[in-house]
Coordinates of all heavy atoms in Angstrom, one line a residue:
S13 N 138.4 44.5 107.3 CA 138.8 45.8 106.8 C 138.8 46.9 107.8 O 139.3 48.0 107.6 CB 137.9 46.2 105.6 OG 136.5 46.3 106.0
D14 N 138.1 46.7 109.0 CA 138.0 47.8 110.0 C 138.0 47.1 111.4 O 136.9 46.5 111.8 CB 136.8 48.6 109.8 CG 136.8 49.9 110.6 OD1 137.5 49.9 111.7 OD2 136.0 50.8 110.3
S15 N 139.0 47.2 112.1 CA 139.1 46.6 113.4 C 138.2 47.1 114.5 O 138.1 46.5 115.6 CB 140.6 46.6 113.9 OG 140.9 48.0 114.2
K16 N 137.4 48.2 114.2 CA 136.4 48.7 115.1 C 135.2 47.8 115.2 O 134.4 47.9 116.1 CB 136.0 50.1 114.8 CG 137.1 51.2 115.0 CD 136.5 52.5 114.7 CE 136.0 52.7 113.3 NZ 135.6 54.1 113.0
Y17 N 135.1 46.9 114.2 CA 133.9 46.0 114.1 C 134.2 44.5 114.2 O 135.3 44.1 113.9 CB 133.2 46.3 112.7 CG 132.7 47.7 112.6 CD1 133.5 48.7 112.0 CD2 131.5 48.1 113.1 CE1 133.1 50.0 111.9 CE2 131.0 49.4 112.9 CZ 131.8 50.3 112.3 OH 131.4 51.6 112.2
A18 N 133.2 43.8 114.6 CA 133.4 42.3 114.6 C 132.0 41.8 114.3 O 131.0 42.5 114.4 CB 133.8 41.8 116.0
Y19 N 131.9 40.5 114.0 CA 130.7 39.9 113.7 C 129.9 39.5 114.9 O 130.5 39.1 115.9 CB 130.9 38.6 112.8 CG 131.3 39.0 111.4 CD1 132.6 39.1 111.0 CD2 130.3 39.2 110.4 CE1 132.9 39.5 109.7 CE2 130.6 39.6 109.1 CZ 131.9 39.7 108.8 OH 132.3 40.0 107.5
C20 N 128.6 39.6 114.9 CA 127.8 39.2 116.0 C 126.5 38.6 115.5 O 126.1 38.8 114.4 CB 127.5 40.4 116.9 SG 126.6 41.7 116.2
L21 N 125.8 37.8 116.3 CA 124.5 37.2 116.1 C 123.5 38.2 116.7 O 123.7 38.5 117.9 CB 124.4 35.9 116.7 CG 123.0 35.2 116.6 CD1 122.7 34.9 115.2 CD2 123.0 34.0 117.5
Y22 N 122.5 38.6 115.9 CA 121.5 39.6 116.4 C 120.2 39.0 116.2 O 119.9 38.3 115.2 CB 121.7 40.8 115.5 CG 120.6 41.8 115.6 CD1 120.7 42.8 116.6 CD2 119.6 41.9 114.7 CE1 119.7 43.8 116.7 CE2 118.6 42.8 114.8 CZ 118.6 43.8 115.8 OH 117.7 44.7 115.9
F23 N 119.3 39.1 117.2 CA 117.9 38.7 117.1 C 117.0 39.6 117.9 O 117.4 40.3 118.8 CB 117.7 37.2 117.5 CG 118.0 36.9 118.9 CD1 117.0 37.1 119.9 CD2 119.2 36.4 119.3 CE1 117.2 36.8 121.2 CE2 119.4 36.1 120.7 CZ 118.4 36.3 121.6
L24 N 115.7 39.5 117.5 CA 114.6 40.3 118.1 C 113.8 39.2 118.8 O 113.5 38.2 118.3 CB 113.8 41.0 117.1 CG 114.4 42.1 116.3 CD1 113.6 42.5 115.2 CD2 114.8 43.3 117.2
S25 N 113.4 39.6 120.1 CA 112.5 38.6 120.8 C 111.1 38.5 120.3 O 110.5 37.5 120.5 CB 112.6 38.9 122.3 OG 111.9 40.1 122.6
K26 N 110.6 39.6 119.7 CA 109.2 39.6 119.2 C 109.0 38.9 117.9 O 107.9 38.4 117.6 CB 108.7 41.0 119.0 CG 108.4 41.7 120.3 CD 107.7 43.0 119.9 CE 108.0 44.2 120.7 NZ 107.3 45.3 120.4
Y27 N 110.0 38.9 117.1 CA 109.8 38.4 115.7 C 110.8 37.3 115.4 O 111.9 37.2 116.0 CB 110.1 39.5 114.7 CG 109.3 40.8 115.0 CD1 109.9 41.9 115.6 CD2 108.0 40.8 114.7 CE1 109.1 43.0 115.9 CE2 107.2 41.9 115.0 CZ 107.8 43.0 115.5 OH 107.1 44.2 115.8
Q28 N 110.4 36.5 114.4 CA 111.3 35.4 114.0 C 112.4 36.0 113.0 O 112.3 36.0 111.8 CB 110.5 34.3 113.2 CG 111.4 33.1 112.8 CD 111.9 32.3 114.0 OE1 111.4 32.3 115.1 NE2 113.1 31.7 113.8
L29 N 113.3 36.7 113.6 CA 114.4 37.4 112.8 C 115.7 37.2 113.6 O 115.8 37.6 114.7 CB 114.0 38.9 112.8 CG 115.2 39.8 112.2 CD1 115.4 39.5 110.7 CD2 114.9 41.2 112.4
Q30 N 116.6 36.6 112.9 CA 118.0 36.5 113.4 C 118.9 36.6 112.3 O 118.6 36.1 111.2 CB 118.2 35.3 114.3 CG 118.1 34.0 113.5 CD 116.6 33.5 113.5 OE1 115.8 33.9 114.2 NE2 116.4 32.6 112.5
N31 N 120.1 37.2 112.5 CA 121.1 37.2 111.5 C 122.4 37.5 112.1 O 122.5 38.0 113.2 CB 120.7 38.2 110.4 CG 120.8 39.7 110.8 OD1 120.9 40.0 112.0 ND2 120.8 40.6 109.8
V32 N 123.5 37.2 111.3 CA 124.8 37.5 111.7 C 125.2 38.8 110.9 O 125.0 38.8 109.7 CB 125.8 36.3 111.3 CG1 127.2 36.7 111.6 CG2 125.4 35.1 112.1
S33 N 125.6 39.8 111.7 CA 126.0 41.0 111.0 C 127.2 41.6 111.8 O 127.7 41.0 112.7 CB 124.8 42.0 111.1 OG 124.4 42.2 112.4
M34 N 127.5 42.9 111.4 CA 128.6 43.6 112.1 C 128.1 44.3 113.3 O 127.0 44.8 113.3 CB 129.2 44.6 111.1 CG 130.0 44.1 110.0 SD 131.5 43.3 110.7 CE 132.2 42.8 109.1
G35 N 129.0 44.4 114.3 CA 128.7 45.2 115.5 C 129.9 46.0 115.8 O 131.0 45.5 115.6
I36 N 129.7 47.1 116.4 CA 130.9 48.0 116.8 C 131.4 47.4 118.1 O 130.6 47.1 119.0 CB 130.5 49.5 116.8 CG1 131.7 50.3 117.0 CG2 129.5 49.8 117.9 CD1 131.5 51.7 116.6
R37 N 132.7 47.3 118.2 CA 133.3 46.5 119.3 C 133.2 47.2 120.6 O 133.5 46.6 121.7 CB 134.7 46.2 118.9 CG 134.7 45.1 117.8 CD 136.1 44.9 117.3 NE 136.9 44.2 118.4 CZ 138.1 43.8 118.2 NH1 138.7 44.0 117.1 NH2 138.7 43.1 119.2
N38 N 132.8 48.5 120.7 CA 132.8 49.2 122.0 C 131.4 49.0 122.6 O 131.2 49.5 123.7 CB 133.2 50.6 121.9 CG 132.2 51.5 121.1 OD1 131.3 51.0 120.4 ND2 132.4 52.8 121.2
F39 N 130.5 48.3 122.0 CA 129.2 47.9 122.6 C 129.4 46.7 123.5 O 130.1 45.7 123.1 CB 128.2 47.6 121.5 CG 127.5 48.8 121.0 CD1 128.1 50.0 120.8 CD2 126.1 48.8 120.6 CE1 127.5 51.1 120.3 CE2 125.5 49.9 120.2 CZ 126.2 51.1 120.0
G40 N 128.7 46.6 124.6 CA 128.8 45.5 125.5 C 127.7 44.5 125.1 O 126.6 44.7 125.4
M41 N 128.1 43.4 124.4 CA 127.2 42.4 124.0 C 127.4 41.1 124.7 O 128.5 40.9 125.3 CB 127.2 42.2 122.5 CG 126.9 43.4 121.6 SD 126.8 43.0 119.9 CE 127.2 44.6 119.2

């Protein structure tokens, strides 16, 4: 619905937390 966003895998190094969510495409991941 919005080409400014795409899906990404996100996790924290300290915690057992990971998920697939939206990211804004102008961030360098």
